[in-house]
Amino acid sequence: MAVTEHSLQALRTAGLADVDPEIAGLLGKELARQRSQVELIASENFTWPSILEAVGSVATNKYAEGYPGKRYYGGCEVVDEIETIAIERAKRLFGAEHANVQPNAGSATNMTVYMAMLQPGDPILALRLDHGGHLTHGHRVNFSGKLYDVKHYGVSRETMRVDYDEVLALAKEHRPKMIVCGGSAYPRTVEAHRFREIADEVGALLLCDMAHFSGLVAAGEHPSPVPHCDFVTSTTHKTLAGPRSGFVLCREEYAAAIDKTVFPGLQGGPLMHAIAAKAACFGIAMTQAFRDYQRQVRANADALAAGLIANGREVLTGGTDTHLVQVDLRNARWTGKDAEERLEQVNMTANRNTVPFDERPPTVASGVRLGTPAMTMRGFGTEDFTEVAAIIADLLSEEGGDVAALAGRTDALLAKHPLYPGFQGWPTYVTTG
Ligand SMILES: *Cc1c(COP(=O)(O)O)cnc(C)c1O
């Protein structure tokens, strides 16, 4: 299928469904898919319709290399206002001295901090990927592992939590220039104040990557790392529920180095439509409704963990302090890969994940990571998550449960809480499903 032939005149005003029915159809299909599954991927969310509108806006047309008031292009007076509002809101929301809202993604935020403060070969200490860290925290396949001399700390075998004595011992041994805390699959509180003590003891800079839990921080549901860290990085599309993007917070003394590294160091023109959406996202995150949402994200994660345990499944650390739960399948009949596939059969989406000290390779893994942000956005409450837990527990039991019956129960939950109800007119590709 090709793009439909239009006259130049018609193309100037036609919508996507008219111009490119193939892509419009696939976007409609993607909306239908999102509506028809219980989304448990902990890093995903369903952003607000207002954010979709900003992302789809004319700000995408504007080149604005530089920063508000200091651009390399004319016509920036309006986008200057937009970016200034985004910066001021980010600072106010998180109590930060400086914010850079231009990074295009979470990975770019970490690249920014490393490039601003370190030389290639400099030592970093960060959480291992297979203990809940992130690729950009020094994994060997990632730029961070190739450019820097990264040593990793892990979690304790007994508690499955970060062992701060071990972190201190490793810090004394390796003398890192930067310590990184935070991760993508760590269900417990990141105790930034304890990392601060360790960083101070060895004279290291401290970076907290709150990509996963920044929404909880914004709402006061997780202690803020900002007062304790030199740098805090985050995405905006995970718990923060905004557009797919990132931002960096730092102390004033590092502001110039961070800004210079983002532009002209790493990026060209900022995505002004994404920055407009980030401004709206930070604004929403200051409201009572957002705090209510995050409180529910937390309550739902507790209900999910408790429900799994009550039904005989194992959960890493015995619960969660955040939005995510790691199901531990080391003693189960099913591997992480089995679990991911079985969940799909009952219309639930999640991802397999290694658990610390996993004896299976990452492609198979002995865990599944589950998160509550997306379904809480859809309106799920604790009773719904107790039912989700019961379905998953049965599905991952020794006998495996009755898959068709369990899928029926999932569909009943979905029918109770429609996604983007009545959302038909915007964007224009939303025509079916
Ligand atoms: C998701 C995530 C990132 C990367 O974000 P992208 O937008 O996917 O580049 C970085 N760090 C952590 C801890 C994350 O969870």
Side-chain angles (χ1 to χ4, degrees):
M1 204 194 293
V3 163
T4 317
E5 270 300 336
H6 280 70
S7 69
L8 176 56
Q9 186 57 21
L11 208 50
R12 287 189 174 113
T13 53
L16 187 65
D18 218 0
V19 173
D20 192 342
E22 185 173 22
I23 291 300
L26 287 171
L27 290 171
K29 241 169 121 172
E30 172 58 14
L31 174 62
R33 185 198 68 79
Q34 292 184 14
R35 283 177 163 158
S36 69
Q37 290 170 357
V38 166
E39 181 53 73
L40 296 170
I41 295 176
S43 50
E44 290 193 13
N45 213 327
F46 299 120
T47 194
W48 318 100
S50 52
I51 298 295
L52 292 179
E53 199 172 330
V55 170
S57 70
V58 294
T60 195
N61 295 333
K62 190 71 199 96
Y63 244 111
E65 282 181 348
Y67 290 98
K70 292 168 286 188
R71 305 283 191 187
Y72 291 83
Y73 287 83
C76 288
E77 59 278 5
V78 180
V79 292
D80 273 7
E81 281 190 60
I82 291 172
E83 185 167 348
T84 302
I85 291 170
I87 291 167
E88 290 309 317
R89 285 182 184 169
K91 284 162 63 177
R92 188 143 53 91
L93 179 62
F94 292 104
E97 292 177 15
H98 181 75
N100 188 306
V101 298
Q102 291 193 2
N104 296 336
S107 296
T109 65
N110 291 335
M111 191 184 281
T112 296
V113 174
Y114 302 152
M115 297 272 262
M117 305 312 299
L118 305 174
Q119 295 302 317
D122 273 353
I124 298 178
L125 182 63
L127 180 60
R128 293 169 58 148
L129 179 65
D130 60 349
H131 287 206
H134 189 261
L135 280 168
T136 57
H137 298 183
H139 196 275
R140 64 189 153 69
V141 301
N142 183 262
F143 81 91
S144 54
K146 294 183 199 286
L147 275 181
Y148 305 102
D149 176 22
V150 185
K151 296 290 189 296
H152 286 111
Y153 57 90
V155 298
S156 137
R157 200 180 270 275
E158 288 72 47
T159 63
M160 293 287 174
R161 296 176 188 233
V162 169
D163 175 346
Y164 292 91
D165 294 330
E166 190 212 351
V167 180
L168 176 61
L170 287 170
K172 284 181 165 166
E173 188 185 337
H174 297 298
R175 295 274 149 188
K177 273 204 181 157
M178 185 175 289
I179 296 176
V180 185
C181 60
S184 61
Y186 186 66
R188 292 297 176 173
T189 301
V190 176
E191 297 180 59
H193 67 284
R194 302 190 64 179
F195 280 101
R196 178 79 261 167
E197 289 167 11
I198 296 166
D200 284 345
E201 198 149 331
V202 299
L205 292 164
L206 182 59
L207 160 63
C208 179
D209 180 352
M210 63 171 184
H212 254 267
F213 58 94
S214 54
L216 296 172
V217 170
E221 295 289 328
H222 183 291
S224 175
V226 174
H228 309 292
C229 296
D230 302 292
F231 308 93
V232 175
T233 54
S234 183
T235 60
T236 43
H237 51 277
K238 297 178 182 176
T239 48
L240 205 48
R244 183 163 299 279
S245 212
F247 64 99
V248 179
L249 305 174
C250 69
R251 300 217 162 125
E252 192 57 46
E253 64 188 285
Y254 304 118
I258 289 294
D259 287 354
K260 204 168 64 177
T261 304
V262 174
F263 176 85
L266 285 168
Q267 295 186 171
L271 310 182
M272 289 315 307
H273 56 301
I275 291 176
K278 278 183 258 194
C281 152
F282 298 140
I284 293 169
M286 285 184 229
T287 65
Q288 185 56 45
F290 186 81
R291 288 189 285 275
D292 293 344
Y293 162 64
Q294 294 294 345
R295 190 170 326 114
Q296 195 64 50
V297 166
R298 273 287 308 119
N300 286 347
D302 286 341
L304 177 61
L308 288 165
I309 293 166
N311 288 293
R313 301 287 77 77
E314 290 182 54
V315 162
L316 274 192
T317 76
T320 176
D321 299 327
T322 65
H323 60 295
L324 74 88
V325 173
Q326 278 264 57
V327 186
D328 183 355
L329 297 169
R330 284 175 301 170
N331 301 319
R333 172 181 164 197
W334 313 98
T335 66
K337 182 168 182 281
D338 296 333
E340 186 185 305
E341 287 164 5
R342 292 183 68 73
L343 283 166
E344 211 163 299
Q345 289 170 11
V346 299
N347 304 331
M348 292 190 182
T349 316
N351 61 293
R352 78 192 77 156
N353 217 103
T354 50
V355 295
F357 314 104
D358 209 322
E359 281 166 18
R360 295 192 172 101
T363 46
V364 182
S366 301
V368 224
R369 188 183 66 161
L370 307 174
T372 56
M375 295 319 281
T376 306
M377 188 58 94
R378 197 167 162 152
F380 276 37
T382 49
E383 280 173 27
D384 301 309
F385 266 99
T386 300
E387 170 72 348
V388 168
I391 295 168
I392 295 174
D394 203 11
L395 191 70
L396 301 181
S397 65
E398 211 42 44
E399 311 74 44
D402 174 345
V403 171
L406 293 173
R409 284 165 64 183
T410 307
D411 291 344
L413 283 174
L414 290 166
K416 250 171 74 187
H417 302 287
L419 174 64
Y420 297 132
F423 180 42
Q424 300 286 339
W426 179 279
T428 48
Y429 60 75
V430 184
T431 50
T432 56

